[in-house]
Amino acid sequence: MVKPNENLMEVKNLKKYFPLRGGFLSRAAGEIRAVDGVSFSIRPMETLGLVGESGSGKTTVARAILRLSSITEGQVLFEGRDIFKLGREDLRKLRRRLQVIFQDPHASLNPRMSVEDIVGEAIVIHHLARGPEKKEKIVTLLEIVGLSAHYLGRYPHEFSGGERQRIGIARALAVDPRLIVCDEPVSALDVSIQAQVINLLKDLQRRFGLSYLFIAHDLSVVRHIAHRVAVMYLGKIVELATRDRLYTSPQHPYTEALFSAVPIPDPTVKQKRIVLRGEMPSPVNPPSGCYFHPRCPYAEPICRQKSPEREDLGGQHWVACHLRKRAGHKINSNKGGRNQ
Ligand code: SF4
């Protein structure tokens, strides 16, 4: 049992490389560095946001920590135990404690199963209840996520996108998890529905003591739910901080550029959009030194030669950038927003 001040999950130097095959005999022709040395922790009742452009490696991290894929190197500790060293029975128990909510509720719900079967499936697999007790539990779960018991016999196509996501949440809750990986859970929904689902997730966190890894590319959504936020670029975390600190004083040039595109709800704050040049390079052949240097407006010769180490700035904030090493340099320290 994890105490409130201990980490529920700890990810240490996680790497996931995919072999690249080519040629007549499909020989190994290189590797895709999808995740390249990622470390973070998640505490009880905490939401860690994981943000970055498409292709930055967020979903590969999610698949690894759910043990849906193997890893190349590193460790994933859940409640103090390495999940890649668990035997079959312990792995089955882990599946209960670690759940997932997917981006597209339409694709993640079996169209041939009724709501009762979808939500009840894991209850049966984990032998949590049977007969009337199981049905009662399913009805309770539906009510918790804001759906009526009348929906038990209906099928996914009969629901709206928001309702389908609520069914997905009820399915995840059915086995009393501790940590839920939310992989872009609201990006397929309308803005008004997004707010409802975010509020529901926050309520459930308070009520059941849940932790979330919340993966998203929409930074305004992450702002509403995350306690801390990690920023990924080309398979690496480049900055991690508490939400308020990251949104008001980002220290990595990539974070600064990402956040410059987020609207600030204050008409008195002038916002200057930073447009990055070029596209994210391929993880098959990443740039030398700092992976961000071909796009970075502040790049210096050292950035092409040496990968920046992670620097602890205090206050649960760290960044990996050579610029920070220069005494007194701060990319941004505005209190109320960027580029005022
Ligand atoms: Fe830019 Fe250099 Fe910092 Fe990389 S290390 S983000 S290239 S300033």
Side-chain angles (χ1 to χ4, degrees):
M1 187 73 183
V2 174
K3 295 184 187 131
N5 54 353
E6 289 176 349
N7 291 325
L8 181 64
M9 173 166 278
E10 222 174 327
V11 176
K12 296 182 179 176
N13 195 29
L14 179 69
K15 295 183 182 175
K16 175 68 184 176
Y17 298 168
F18 294 97
L20 196 65
R21 303 200 175 273
F24 178 59
L25 295 171
S26 289
R27 291 204 178 94
E31 56 194 7
I32 302 169
R33 298 183 172 203
V35 176
D36 198 11
V38 158
S39 300
F40 61 83
S41 58
I42 305 174
R43 302 181 197 121
M45 291 192 71
E46 182 185 45
T47 300
L48 178 72
L50 189 60
V51 303
E53 287 167 286
S54 168
S56 58
K58 307 183 298 288
T59 297
T60 309
V61 169
R63 288 184 57 78
I65 68 171
L66 287 162
R67 245 200 89 164
L68 296 176
S69 70
S70 62
I71 59 173
T72 307
E73 207 179 303
Q75 266 191 322
V76 179
L77 305 177
F78 182 72
E79 297 179 322
R81 299 180 70 191
D82 188 337
I83 67 167
F84 287 94
K85 292 191 175 150
L86 297 180
R88 206 173 159 160
E89 184 51 28
D90 284 334
L91 187 57
R92 197 180 67 81
K93 288 183 189 156
L94 176 82
R95 299 254 178 258
R96 249 190 89 180
R97 315 277 283 163
L98 255 178
Q99 285 289 303
V100 60
I101 301 168
F102 295 101
Q103 173 181 5
D104 183 354
H106 189 59
S108 67
L109 303 178
N110 187 333
R112 291 189 199 86
M113 287 171 78
S114 67
V115 171
E116 182 172 355
D117 291 339
I118 290 169
V119 179
E121 191 178 26
I123 297 175
V124 173
I125 290 170
H126 292 282
H127 313 295
L128 300 178
R130 290 196 305 187
E133 195 194 338
K134 182 183 109 189
K135 191 159 186 166
E136 203 178 308
K137 189 170 167 68
I138 296 168
V139 170
T140 306
L141 284 162
L142 289 183
E143 284 168 355
I144 286 171
V145 300
L147 296 174
S148 157
H150 294 115
Y151 294 160
L152 275 177
R154 295 199 190 168
Y155 290 81
H157 72 271
E158 297 176 71
F159 295 91
S160 66
E163 287 169 332
R164 278 198 290 263
Q165 197 54 293
R166 286 173 191 268
I167 296 167
I169 294 170
R171 176 177 60 180
L173 282 182
V175 287
D176 304 322
R178 292 293 316 280
L179 173 66
I180 300 182
V181 174
C182 307
D183 189 2
E184 303 263 10
V186 296
S187 47
L189 306 176
D190 292 344
V191 174
S192 59
I193 309 294
Q194 284 185 356
Q196 291 172 15
V197 172
I198 293 290
N199 287 338
L200 173 64
L201 289 171
K202 285 165 80 171
D203 283 350
L204 296 173
Q205 182 166 59
R206 281 191 287 270
R207 190 163 168 186
F208 299 109
L210 298 169
S211 300
Y212 298 129
L213 176 66
F214 193 94
I215 296 171
H217 64 271
D218 185 340
L219 297 169
S220 31
V221 168
V222 175
R223 187 175 203 158
H224 283 107
I225 191 164
H227 299 106
R228 289 186 302 144
V229 181
V231 181
M232 273 193 91
Y233 185 79
L234 207 60
K236 292 178 184 284
I237 293 181
V238 295
E239 185 165 11
L240 194 154
T242 58
R243 173 195 56 193
D244 292 343
R245 194 147 163 176
L246 201 73
Y247 278 74
T248 55
S249 183
Q251 293 299 305
H252 194 281
Y254 178 60
T255 318
E256 185 194 34
L258 270 189
F259 284 24
S260 77
V262 181
I264 297 173
D266 181 350
T268 63
V269 175
K270 283 200 192 117
Q271 210 174 342
K272 188 178 162 211
R273 176 97 190 258
I274 300 169
V275 180
L276 291 174
R277 55 177 189 246
E279 300 205 338
M280 187 152 44
S282 163
V284 177
N285 189 17
S288 60
C290 171
Y291 284 3
F292 188 56
H293 86 250
R295 303 173 79 191
C296 180
Y298 307 99
E300 295 187 351
I302 190 177
C303 305
R304 292 176 190 85
Q305 294 150 13
K306 201 169 164 233
S307 179
E309 298 286 323
R310 156 180 168 161
E311 187 190 353
D312 190 347
L313 308 179
Q316 303 182 64
H317 189 173
W318 66 256
V319 64
C321 173
H322 291 306
L323 219 61
R324 283 289 321 171
K325 295 279 180 198
R326 294 220 312 257
H329 185 94
K330 269 194 163 186
I331 288 169
N332 191 325
S333 60
N334 293 334
K335 278 187 258 140
R338 301 169 296 272
N339 304 304
Q340 292 176 73

